[in-house]
Amino acid sequence: MEVVYRTMRARYFARVAWDPAAAIAEAERGFALALANELPVADVVATLGSAAVVVGHPEWREWLERAIAAAESEELPAIGFVAADTLFMGELTRGDPQRCLTIADRTIAAARAVGATATVAQFRKNRILALGLVHGDSSAVVGEARDLLRMKINPRVREHAESQLVVALADLGRDDEAVEALAASAADDAPDPTARVMIAYARAEAEWQAGRFESAIAAAAACRELPVGDFPARVLAEPLRQWVVSELGGDPGEPLASPGFENLAGAAIESAGIVALARDRHDDRAEQRFRDAAAAWDGVSARLALRARWGAGHAALVAGRPEAALALLRPLDEELEATGRLPLVRRVRRTMRTAGLNLPIIGGEPFGPLSGAQVEVLDLVARGMSTEEIGRRLLIGTETVNAHTQAAMRRLLQAFAQTRQPGQRQGVHALLHDLAQDADGAVELPHRFRFRVQPHRLWIRVEQTAQPRLRV
């Protein structure tokens, strides 16, 4: 009975009173009693390991692995699953994040073997977290998160999966889908503040990468207001906020203090680089700090290591070393293009263009007489975005936005004029009829804008919009 009492007290100190030192002391007493009386030890050792992770005790992994093994031998699978979940989070925040995917897959198999469907869902969520944060596999996250969200799962698992889905969609430049995922989430109103900080961080990522800077700052600032300590989403939101403020020409504030979890150290180092870059454009230390941040993120977060590498190239360019910037960014550009991380590719390409390379604007698929960049710009115009908003989204100047818009309209006018010549089926009119034999000549194109050819007009409008946005 005293073992149970000590275990319950340890849980209280660890989870309610937030006194991990007291939790460890109680759990160690309980563990000693259990051993002395040859009683089951899985529960008390799992509690001991949980408290040890919080304080960074050097034996946290050993205790949790022992709890998992004891739970198996004592036929207490539920306790083993709890210990495995704590081990996963310990490796993610303090240990070796590369082990996280193996822990998730191993526990999914064990949970399926005993029919523990809730645990399967929990570790599928953990698997998504490892794929996204650690390995940077955004495409895999989108597929697995959507599959998991179709299931009946508890709110905590759902909130994690939703936030990871939003970040992955944002990383891939799938802005519309990210907005839809945010709208479908109920995490903003969740009683658990960690759920609210996760979705706020995801919203900040999505807004920044879509070029909606003010909304991104507001979402990141909301993370700072939530009482969740060094919870990862709260820590990661601060350098993101500082990047956005800097891009708007503002003061990013003071560098982030070192977080309590070792594996989040890259956030503080990156933050110091952003601040150094904003306050002294010729400070050579900014580039080195971004290099150090990339090294700190290596093996911990592939997606954040990529961003820090761009930061190092950007800092080299700002400091007046374009050749050094290109040497850093050329290999990064090749890596990013292979992963489909469109928003970061645009940032890298913008820096490389500023450094002197003649690179095309990353746009949509070419259509008819229009280039991919012209298709992308017209799509955003048709959605009602301003020239400044389009520039932020595509990371180009307003003059470039206007140039693409005007060039696209000239090409469409020329193609439309060809359709007015007797006996000819060329240009836009022919393209539309080739794609869809609609009586009125309308066809839905890639992206969300539509053309409509009438006897004397060419209309371009958003599919969901009742009134045309552009008329030629």
Side-chain angles (χ1 to χ4, degrees):
M1 180 61 71
E2 187 174 352
V3 173
V4 175
Y5 169 72
R6 295 293 182 187
T7 303
M8 292 179 65
R9 279 178 59 83
R11 285 180 185 160
Y12 169 79
F13 284 124
R15 302 175 187 177
V16 180
W18 197 249
D19 187 347
I24 288 175
E26 290 290 343
E28 285 180 329
R29 293 189 190 100
F31 179 51
L33 285 168
L35 286 177
N37 293 279
E38 298 183 350
L39 297 172
V41 298
D43 194 9
V44 69
V45 176
T47 304
L48 178 58
S50 177
V53 168
V54 175
V55 297
H57 191 287
E59 296 182 72
W60 62 265
R61 182 186 291 115
E62 179 184 338
W63 285 332
L64 289 168
E65 292 281 16
R66 183 169 183 171
I68 293 168
E72 184 176 359
S73 64
E74 294 167 6
E75 298 185 354
L76 297 170
I79 293 173
F81 297 150
V82 172
D85 189 49
T86 307
L87 178 64
F88 177 94
M89 296 309 298
E91 297 290 7
L92 186 68
T93 57
R94 292 196 184 280
D96 180 5
Q98 298 297 317
R99 297 189 67 216
C100 288
L101 201 57
T102 300
I103 294 168
D105 289 341
R106 179 181 72 190
T107 312
I108 289 169
R112 282 176 173 157
V114 297
T117 56
T119 300
V120 170
Q122 168 75 11
F123 278 86
R124 286 187 64 185
K125 178 268 293 180
N126 286 354
R127 175 180 167 81
I128 289 166
L129 186 60
L131 285 171
L133 181 60
V134 180
H135 298 280
D137 192 344
S138 299
S139 296
V141 169
V142 171
E144 295 200 22
R146 282 186 164 156
D147 186 49
L148 180 60
L149 290 169
R150 293 187 190 100
M151 300 170 56
K152 187 176 181 180
I153 52 181
N154 71 51
R156 180 66 172 167
V157 171
R158 179 170 296 278
E159 290 150 6
H160 269 280
E162 287 171 341
S163 62
Q164 289 301 309
L165 174 61
V166 171
V167 172
L169 290 169
D171 282 346
L172 294 170
R174 293 159 65 172
D175 176 44
D176 291 345
E177 296 172 70
V179 170
E180 290 172 2
L182 283 166
S185 174
D188 283 320
D189 300 318
D192 183 355
T194 62
R196 299 200 300 275
V197 78
M198 285 190 299
I199 204 66
Y201 168 65
R203 177 174 287 105
E205 284 276 9
E207 295 295 284
W208 181 40
Q209 299 196 60
R212 296 184 288 267
F213 290 0
E214 289 80 5
S215 299
I217 292 171
C223 293
R224 295 199 298 177
E225 301 302 319
L226 289 166
V228 292
D230 282 340
F231 191 80
R234 185 177 186 270
V235 172
L236 299 181
E238 182 58 11
L240 186 153
R241 183 196 68 81
Q242 292 175 317
W243 269 124
V244 185
V245 170
S246 296
E247 288 198 313
L248 289 174
D251 183 353
E254 295 303 313
L256 178 69
S258 295
F261 294 111
E262 295 92 329
N263 286 353
L264 298 179
I269 303 170
E270 184 180 12
S271 171
I274 298 168
V275 173
L277 186 63
R279 294 183 177 174
D280 185 353
R281 297 172 63 85
H282 301 289
D283 186 348
D284 292 340
R285 291 173 297 178
E287 178 191 339
Q288 187 57 51
R289 284 183 174 127
F290 287 120
R291 287 175 177 265
D292 292 343
W297 286 128
D298 186 37
V300 175
S301 175
R303 64 181 299 273
L304 295 174
L306 291 170
R307 188 175 76 188
R309 287 171 60 190
W310 161 69
H314 179 64
L317 175 66
V318 170
R321 299 190 304 277
E323 291 303 321
L326 292 176
L328 289 166
L329 296 177
R330 280 193 178 102
L332 177 60
D333 181 58
E334 293 176 5
E335 287 183 46
L336 289 171
E337 195 167 17
T339 64
R341 298 170 67 85
L342 185 59
L344 190 51
V345 170
R346 285 176 173 150
R347 281 192 159 75
V348 170
R349 294 280 178 90
R350 177 186 61 180
T351 304
M352 294 172 74
R353 283 195 299 272
T354 307
L357 286 191
N358 184 18
L359 294 171
I361 305 299
I362 301 295
E365 292 295 323
F367 177 79
L370 303 181
S371 69
Q374 290 164 352
V375 167
E376 185 80 11
V377 170
L378 278 189
D379 180 27
L380 299 176
V381 170
R383 299 187 197 194
M385 293 176 67
S386 69
T387 301
E388 183 179 15
E389 290 170 336
I390 295 171
R392 288 182 180 179
R393 167 71 173 268
L394 302 182
L395 297 171
I396 56 179
T398 54
E399 299 85 356
T400 306
V401 174
N402 289 330
H404 279 300
T405 305
Q406 292 164 9
M409 302 314 292
R410 281 196 303 271
R411 291 187 181 187
L412 290 174
L413 280 170
Q414 291 166 1
F416 181 57
Q418 291 177 333
T419 68
R420 308 306 304 154
Q421 299 177 19
Q424 292 191 15
R425 284 180 47 77
Q426 302 175 13
V428 175
H429 201 252
L431 287 168
L432 296 178
H433 279 283
D434 287 344
L435 288 170
Q437 298 297 323
D438 292 346
D440 62 359
V443 61
E444 183 176 352
L445 302 176
H447 302 269
R448 295 192 308 161
F449 63 90
R450 291 167 62 94
F451 290 105
R452 184 179 297 274
V453 178
Q454 294 178 340
H456 302 291
R457 292 185 179 89
L458 171 65
W459 300 85
I460 304 174
R461 68 180 176 84
V462 179
E463 181 186 357
Q464 297 94 329
T465 304
Q467 298 299 321
R469 293 294 184 91
L470 294 175
R471 183 179 71 183
V472 179

